[in-house]
Amino acid sequence: VTNNRLRAALTAELIDPWFYLDANAFIQQAASSLLGVFGTDQTTSGEFADISTVSIAPRLRYRRGNLWSGETSLNSSFLSSNGTVSDSQTTELRARVNSGTAFGKLGWSADYYSEATRYSSAGAQVDSQKIDIGSSYRVAPKVRFLANVGFEEFESDSLSEKQSGTSWSLGALWQPTNRTSLQATAGNRFFGNSFGLNFSHRTRRTTWGLSYTEA
């Protein structure tokens, strides 16, 4: 069995420093059914489908002195297949604003994310969106307390009704040096408790990271 893959990526600075363009193309073979038996050599007893994905994402960056900065991106991706996998089109909108150094010990952020996927063969669609408002306060030179509140919703033709609800989390960020950070959070989303842990460390030649998420 031969499995070929092809990937191409492009990042362009169209108008530096505020307008950029990301583009990706990906071709691979995937199993047409999840019921196939997979072996250790990544073969399967089921049929394969050739899947092609193309995505284009313009990004806009903006800054207001030392008050705030942000970024907005719109990602449009298209998936096509010559097998039983349904063709689809996905649109993702991301927007984020962060506070600047003018706020001193206090920090804040606002995030919005939405995703809409349309499946051509089944005529189905999946929609989701999420809004988050975050804040932080520096209680010590190397420690910040974190708080977050938000709202999210999920809608699909496979569900009898829209799933939605509020979310919140509390945590702390420790940065002993400008190369090392440790962040831990705990909270609740509309479907249950959530936990997160992120550690990162940079050396002169390497970057190390550890992440754990339970939701």
Side-chain angles (χ1 to χ4, degrees):
V1 176
T2 301
N3 193 328
N4 297 315
R5 297 184 179 185
L6 173 65
R7 181 180 182 183
L10 168 70
T11 298
E13 298 180 356
L14 300 182
I15 304 178
D16 188 43
W18 60 275
F19 189 54
Y20 302 82
L21 179 67
D22 298 327
N24 288 273
F26 192 54
I27 301 175
Q28 68 171 346
Q29 288 182 316
S32 301
S33 172
L34 296 178
L35 301 180
V37 179
F38 289 83
T40 57
D41 56 354
Q42 297 183 346
T43 61
T44 176
S45 60
E47 296 181 354
F48 280 109
D50 293 327
I51 295 179
S52 303
T53 304
V54 177
S55 66
I56 301 175
R59 288 186 290 121
L60 180 65
R61 290 181 176 175
Y62 32 86
R63 176 181 294 275
R64 181 76 173 185
N66 63 349
L67 291 177
W68 54 269
S69 63
E71 180 175 301
T72 299
S73 64
L74 180 65
N75 188 344
S76 299
S77 60
F78 307 88
L79 184 149
S80 62
S81 168
N82 65 348
T84 58
V85 178
S86 177
D87 295 352
S88 65
Q89 177 182 347
T90 300
T91 302
E92 295 178 319
L93 174 62
R94 299 175 183 266
R96 179 178 177 85
V97 179
N98 296 305
S99 61
T101 56
F103 291 88
K105 294 183 178 181
L106 178 66
W108 55 265
S109 65
D111 291 86
Y112 174 77
Y113 173 77
S114 68
E115 179 182 87
T117 302
R118 305 291 183 268
Y119 298 94
S120 58
S121 63
Q125 64 184 42
V126 177
D127 297 285
S128 64
Q129 63 176 338
K130 186 177 183 181
I131 301 172
D132 282 308
I133 304 295
S135 63
S136 65
Y137 186 77
R138 189 171 70 244
V139 295
K142 300 177 181 180
V143 179
R144 279 184 175 270
F145 283 162
L146 309 175
N148 179 280
V149 294
F151 176 82
E152 56 187 321
E153 63 180 13
F154 182 84
E155 186 175 12
S156 171
D157 292 340
S158 62
L159 298 175
S160 58
E161 60 182 14
K162 181 186 299 183
Q163 305 293 314
S164 63
T166 58
S167 62
W168 63 267
S169 67
L170 297 173
L173 172 64
W174 178 49
Q175 293 179 297
T177 70
N178 60 355
R179 294 186 176 187
T180 305
S181 67
L182 175 64
Q183 177 176 314
T185 58
N188 183 272
R189 297 171 69 179
F190 69 91
F191 49 76
N193 296 327
S194 62
F195 305 93
L197 180 68
N198 286 280
F199 171 78
S200 65
H201 177 69
R202 292 184 296 110
T203 68
R204 185 176 181 180
R205 298 179 181 272
T206 64
T207 299
W208 300 84
L210 175 65
S211 177
Y212 173 80
T213 301
E214 180 177 335

PDB file of all heavy atoms in Angstrom, residues 127-147:
ATOM      1  N   ASP A 127     -22.673  24.877  13.036  1.00  0.00           N
ATOM      2  CA  ASP A 127     -22.325  26.248  13.379  1.00  0.00           C
ATOM      3  C   ASP A 127     -21.951  26.341  14.850  1.00  0.00           C
ATOM      4  O   ASP A 127     -22.602  25.715  15.707  1.00  0.00           O
ATOM      5  CB  ASP A 127     -23.503  27.191  13.105  1.00  0.00           C
ATOM      6  CG  ASP A 127     -23.877  27.225  11.632  1.00  0.00           C
ATOM      7  OD1 ASP A 127     -23.136  27.852  10.853  1.00  0.00           O
ATOM      8  OD2 ASP A 127     -24.896  26.615  11.271  1.00  0.00           O
ATOM      9  N   SER A 128     -20.930  27.117  15.148  1.00  0.00           N
ATOM     10  CA  SER A 128     -20.537  27.340  16.531  1.00  0.00           C
ATOM     11  C   SER A 128     -19.945  28.729  16.659  1.00  0.00           C
ATOM     12  O   SER A 128     -19.404  29.285  15.694  1.00  0.00           O
ATOM     13  CB  SER A 128     -19.521  26.292  17.000  1.00  0.00           C
ATOM     14  OG  SER A 128     -18.321  26.405  16.259  1.00  0.00           O
ATOM     15  N   GLN A 129     -20.043  29.302  17.850  1.00  0.00           N
ATOM     16  CA  GLN A 129     -19.412  30.573  18.136  1.00  0.00           C
ATOM     17  C   GLN A 129     -19.111  30.673  19.626  1.00  0.00           C
ATOM     18  O   GLN A 129     -19.755  30.018  20.443  1.00  0.00           O
ATOM     19  CB  GLN A 129     -20.275  31.748  17.679  1.00  0.00           C
ATOM     20  CG  GLN A 129     -21.605  31.881  18.375  1.00  0.00           C
ATOM     21  CD  GLN A 129     -22.333  33.134  17.918  1.00  0.00           C
ATOM     22  OE1 GLN A 129     -21.738  34.087  17.412  1.00  0.00           O
ATOM     23  NE2 GLN A 129     -23.638  33.144  18.087  1.00  0.00           N
ATOM     24  N   LYS A 130     -18.115  31.513  19.945  1.00  0.00           N
ATOM     25  CA  LYS A 130     -17.675  31.643  21.326  1.00  0.00           C
ATOM     26  C   LYS A 130     -17.166  33.053  21.553  1.00  0.00           C
ATOM     27  O   LYS A 130     -16.454  33.611  20.721  1.00  0.00           O
ATOM     28  CB  LYS A 130     -16.580  30.624  21.635  1.00  0.00           C
ATOM     29  CG  LYS A 130     -16.151  30.576  23.090  1.00  0.00           C
ATOM     30  CD  LYS A 130     -15.117  29.497  23.328  1.00  0.00           C
ATOM     31  CE  LYS A 130     -14.726  29.401  24.797  1.00  0.00           C
ATOM     32  NZ  LYS A 130     -13.693  28.375  25.043  1.00  0.00           N
ATOM     33  N   ILE A 131     -17.536  33.616  22.704  1.00  0.00           N
ATOM     34  CA  ILE A 131     -17.090  34.934  23.118  1.00  0.00           C
ATOM     35  C   ILE A 131     -16.428  34.804  24.483  1.00  0.00           C
ATOM     36  O   ILE A 131     -16.984  34.165  25.392  1.00  0.00           O
ATOM     37  CB  ILE A 131     -18.266  35.926  23.198  1.00  0.00           C
ATOM     38  CG1 ILE A 131     -18.966  36.037  21.841  1.00  0.00           C
ATOM     39  CG2 ILE A 131     -17.784  37.297  23.644  1.00  0.00           C
ATOM     40  CD1 ILE A 131     -20.236  36.849  21.879  1.00  0.00           C
ATOM     41  N   ASP A 132     -15.248  35.403  24.650  1.00  0.00           N
ATOM     42  CA  ASP A 132     -14.522  35.342  25.908  1.00  0.00           C
ATOM     43  C   ASP A 132     -14.034  36.734  26.293  1.00  0.00           C
ATOM     44  O   ASP A 132     -13.512  37.477  25.446  1.00  0.00           O
ATOM     45  CB  ASP A 132     -13.317  34.407  25.819  1.00  0.00           C
ATOM     46  CG  ASP A 132     -13.706  32.951  25.920  1.00  0.00           C
ATOM     47  OD1 ASP A 132     -14.412  32.594  26.872  1.00  0.00           O
ATOM     48  OD2 ASP A 132     -13.301  32.170  25.036  1.00  0.00           O
ATOM     49  N   ILE A 133     -14.186  37.070  27.562  1.00  0.00           N
ATOM     50  CA  ILE A 133     -13.632  38.296  28.128  1.00  0.00           C
ATOM     51  C   ILE A 133     -12.685  37.893  29.248  1.00  0.00           C
ATOM     52  O   ILE A 133     -13.085  37.197  30.192  1.00  0.00           O
ATOM     53  CB  ILE A 133     -14.726  39.230  28.687  1.00  0.00           C
ATOM     54  CG1 ILE A 133     -15.757  39.538  27.598  1.00  0.00           C
ATOM     55  CG2 ILE A 133     -14.111  40.500  29.234  1.00  0.00           C
ATOM     56  CD1 ILE A 133     -15.215  40.318  26.433  1.00  0.00           C
ATOM     57  N   GLY A 134     -11.430  38.290  29.140  1.00  0.00           N
ATOM     58  CA  GLY A 134     -10.437  37.892  30.119  1.00  0.00           C
ATOM     59  C   GLY A 134      -9.810  39.084  30.816  1.00  0.00           C
ATOM     60  O   GLY A 134      -9.755  40.195  30.269  1.00  0.00           O
ATOM     61  N   SER A 135      -9.337  38.858  32.021  1.00  0.00           N
ATOM     62  CA  SER A 135      -8.640  39.901  32.772  1.00  0.00           C
ATOM     63  C   SER A 135      -7.508  39.272  33.573  1.00  0.00           C
ATOM     64  O   SER A 135      -7.531  38.076  33.887  1.00  0.00           O
ATOM     65  CB  SER A 135      -9.596  40.640  33.718  1.00  0.00           C
ATOM     66  OG  SER A 135     -10.113  39.754  34.696  1.00  0.00           O
ATOM     67  N   SER A 136      -6.520  40.078  33.903  1.00  0.00           N
ATOM     68  CA  SER A 136      -5.396  39.614  34.714  1.00  0.00           C
ATOM     69  C   SER A 136      -4.930  40.767  35.602  1.00  0.00           C
ATOM     70  O   SER A 136      -5.115  41.942  35.274  1.00  0.00           O
ATOM     71  CB  SER A 136      -4.241  39.133  33.832  1.00  0.00           C
ATOM     72  OG  SER A 136      -3.694  40.210  33.077  1.00  0.00           O
ATOM     73  N   TYR A 137      -4.318  40.396  36.724  1.00  0.00           N
ATOM     74  CA  TYR A 137      -3.799  41.410  37.638  1.00  0.00           C
ATOM     75  C   TYR A 137      -2.462  40.930  38.194  1.00  0.00           C
ATOM     76  O   TYR A 137      -2.360  39.809  38.707  1.00  0.00           O
ATOM     77  CB  TYR A 137      -4.781  41.670  38.783  1.00  0.00           C
ATOM     78  CG  TYR A 137      -4.357  42.813  39.671  1.00  0.00           C
ATOM     79  CD1 TYR A 137      -4.529  44.131  39.265  1.00  0.00           C
ATOM     80  CD2 TYR A 137      -3.766  42.568  40.915  1.00  0.00           C
ATOM     81  CE1 TYR A 137      -4.134  45.181  40.075  1.00  0.00           C
ATOM     82  CE2 TYR A 137      -3.362  43.614  41.724  1.00  0.00           C
ATOM     83  CZ  TYR A 137      -3.553  44.927  41.297  1.00  0.00           C
ATOM     84  OH  TYR A 137      -3.150  45.960  42.085  1.00  0.00           O
ATOM     85  N   ARG A 138      -1.448  41.780  38.088  1.00  0.00           N
ATOM     86  CA  ARG A 138      -0.119  41.410  38.570  1.00  0.00           C
ATOM     87  C   ARG A 138      -0.031  41.642  40.068  1.00  0.00           C
ATOM     88  O   ARG A 138      -0.018  42.780  40.547  1.00  0.00           O
ATOM     89  CB  ARG A 138       0.952  42.213  37.833  1.00  0.00           C
ATOM     90  CG  ARG A 138       2.362  41.745  38.111  1.00  0.00           C
ATOM     91  CD  ARG A 138       3.397  42.399  37.228  1.00  0.00           C
ATOM     92  NE  ARG A 138       3.572  43.814  37.570  1.00  0.00           N
ATOM     93  CZ  ARG A 138       3.295  44.821  36.771  1.00  0.00           C
ATOM     94  NH1 ARG A 138       2.803  44.579  35.553  1.00  0.00           N
ATOM     95  NH2 ARG A 138       3.495  46.069  37.143  1.00  0.00           N
ATOM     96  N   VAL A 139       0.004  40.550  40.830  1.00  0.00           N
ATOM     97  CA  VAL A 139       0.068  40.634  42.292  1.00  0.00           C
ATOM     98  C   VAL A 139       1.504  40.624  42.793  1.00  0.00           C
ATOM     99  O   VAL A 139       1.761  40.958  43.948  1.00  0.00           O
ATOM    100  CB  VAL A 139      -0.710  39.477  42.937  1.00  0.00           C
ATOM    101  CG1 VAL A 139      -2.189  39.596  42.611  1.00  0.00           C
ATOM    102  CG2 VAL A 139      -0.171  38.127  42.463  1.00  0.00           C
ATOM    103  N   ALA A 140       2.437  40.221  41.945  1.00  0.00           N
ATOM    104  CA  ALA A 140       3.862  40.206  42.256  1.00  0.00           C
ATOM    105  C   ALA A 140       4.610  40.393  40.940  1.00  0.00           C
ATOM    106  O   ALA A 140       4.030  40.227  39.866  1.00  0.00           O
ATOM    107  CB  ALA A 140       4.261  38.898  42.944  1.00  0.00           C
ATOM    108  N   PRO A 141       5.867  40.768  40.992  1.00  0.00           N
ATOM    109  CA  PRO A 141       6.599  41.016  39.736  1.00  0.00           C
ATOM    110  C   PRO A 141       6.541  39.865  38.742  1.00  0.00           C
ATOM    111  O   PRO A 141       6.598  40.085  37.536  1.00  0.00           O
ATOM    112  CB  PRO A 141       8.030  41.266  40.217  1.00  0.00           C
ATOM    113  CG  PRO A 141       7.873  41.804  41.598  1.00  0.00           C
ATOM    114  CD  PRO A 141       6.685  41.071  42.174  1.00  0.00           C
ATOM    115  N   LYS A 142       6.391  38.632  39.228  1.00  0.00           N
ATOM    116  CA  LYS A 142       6.426  37.480  38.338  1.00  0.00           C
ATOM    117  C   LYS A 142       5.148  36.651  38.374  1.00  0.00           C
ATOM    118  O   LYS A 142       5.102  35.569  37.789  1.00  0.00           O
ATOM    119  CB  LYS A 142       7.618  36.585  38.695  1.00  0.00           C
ATOM    120  CG  LYS A 142       8.960  37.302  38.579  1.00  0.00           C
ATOM    121  CD  LYS A 142      10.103  36.413  39.004  1.00  0.00           C
ATOM    122  CE  LYS A 142      11.443  37.159  38.901  1.00  0.00           C
ATOM    123  NZ  LYS A 142      12.587  36.302  39.312  1.00  0.00           N
ATOM    124  N   VAL A 143       4.096  37.130  39.037  1.00  0.00           N
ATOM    125  CA  VAL A 143       2.858  36.357  39.193  1.00  0.00           C
ATOM    126  C   VAL A 143       1.654  37.209  38.822  1.00  0.00           C
ATOM    127  O   VAL A 143       1.543  38.368  39.249  1.00  0.00           O
ATOM    128  CB  VAL A 143       2.702  35.832  40.642  1.00  0.00           C
ATOM    129  CG1 VAL A 143       1.399  35.047  40.779  1.00  0.00           C
ATOM    130  CG2 VAL A 143       3.892  34.967  41.024  1.00  0.00           C
ATOM    131  N   ARG A 144       0.739  36.629  38.051  1.00  0.00           N
ATOM    132  CA  ARG A 144      -0.521  37.270  37.695  1.00  0.00           C
ATOM    133  C   ARG A 144      -1.685  36.349  38.022  1.00  0.00           C
ATOM    134  O   ARG A 144      -1.602  35.142  37.790  1.00  0.00           O
ATOM    135  CB  ARG A 144      -0.571  37.610  36.199  1.00  0.00           C
ATOM    136  CG  ARG A 144       0.150  38.876  35.803  1.00  0.00           C
ATOM    137  CD  ARG A 144      -0.038  39.179  34.325  1.00  0.00           C
ATOM    138  NE  ARG A 144       0.554  40.439  33.954  1.00  0.00           N
ATOM    139  CZ  ARG A 144      -0.082  41.611  33.976  1.00  0.00           C
ATOM    140  NH1 ARG A 144      -1.367  41.629  34.326  1.00  0.00           N
ATOM    141  NH2 ARG A 144       0.510  42.718  33.629  1.00  0.00           N
ATOM    142  N   PHE A 145      -2.751  36.914  38.556  1.00  0.00           N
ATOM    143  CA  PHE A 145      -4.008  36.191  38.703  1.00  0.00           C
ATOM    144  C   PHE A 145      -4.832  36.373  37.432  1.00  0.00           C
ATOM    145  O   PHE A 145      -4.868  37.462  36.864  1.00  0.00           O
ATOM    146  CB  PHE A 145      -4.780  36.683  39.917  1.00  0.00           C
ATOM    147  CG  PHE A 145      -4.241  36.177  41.221  1.00  0.00           C
ATOM    148  CD1 PHE A 145      -4.575  36.802  42.420  1.00  0.00           C
ATOM    149  CD2 PHE A 145      -3.407  35.078  41.268  1.00  0.00           C
ATOM    150  CE1 PHE A 145      -4.090  36.345  43.624  1.00  0.00           C
ATOM    151  CE2 PHE A 145      -2.911  34.601  42.462  1.00  0.00           C
ATOM    152  CZ  PHE A 145      -3.249  35.231  43.641  1.00  0.00           C
ATOM    153  N   LEU A 146      -5.544  35.315  37.015  1.00  0.00           N
ATOM    154  CA  LEU A 146      -6.293  35.315  35.763  1.00  0.00           C
ATOM    155  C   LEU A 146      -7.761  35.031  36.032  1.00  0.00           C
ATOM    156  O   LEU A 146      -8.104  34.243  36.911  1.00  0.00           O
ATOM    157  CB  LEU A 146      -5.746  34.244  34.811  1.00  0.00           C
ATOM    158  CG  LEU A 146      -4.234  34.232  34.559  1.00  0.00           C
ATOM    159  CD1 LEU A 146      -3.859  33.037  33.695  1.00  0.00           C
ATOM    160  CD2 LEU A 146      -3.788  35.531  33.897  1.00  0.00           C
ATOM    161  N   ALA A 147      -8.642  35.677  35.274  1.00  0.00           N
ATOM    162  CA  ALA A 147     -10.080  35.432  35.353  1.00  0.00           C
ATOM    163  C   ALA A 147     -10.671  35.556  33.961  1.00  0.00           C
ATOM    164  O   ALA A 147     -10.233  36.397  33.162  1.00  0.00           O
ATOM    165  CB  ALA A 147     -10.760  36.411  36.313  1.00  0.00           C
TER     166      ALA A 147
END
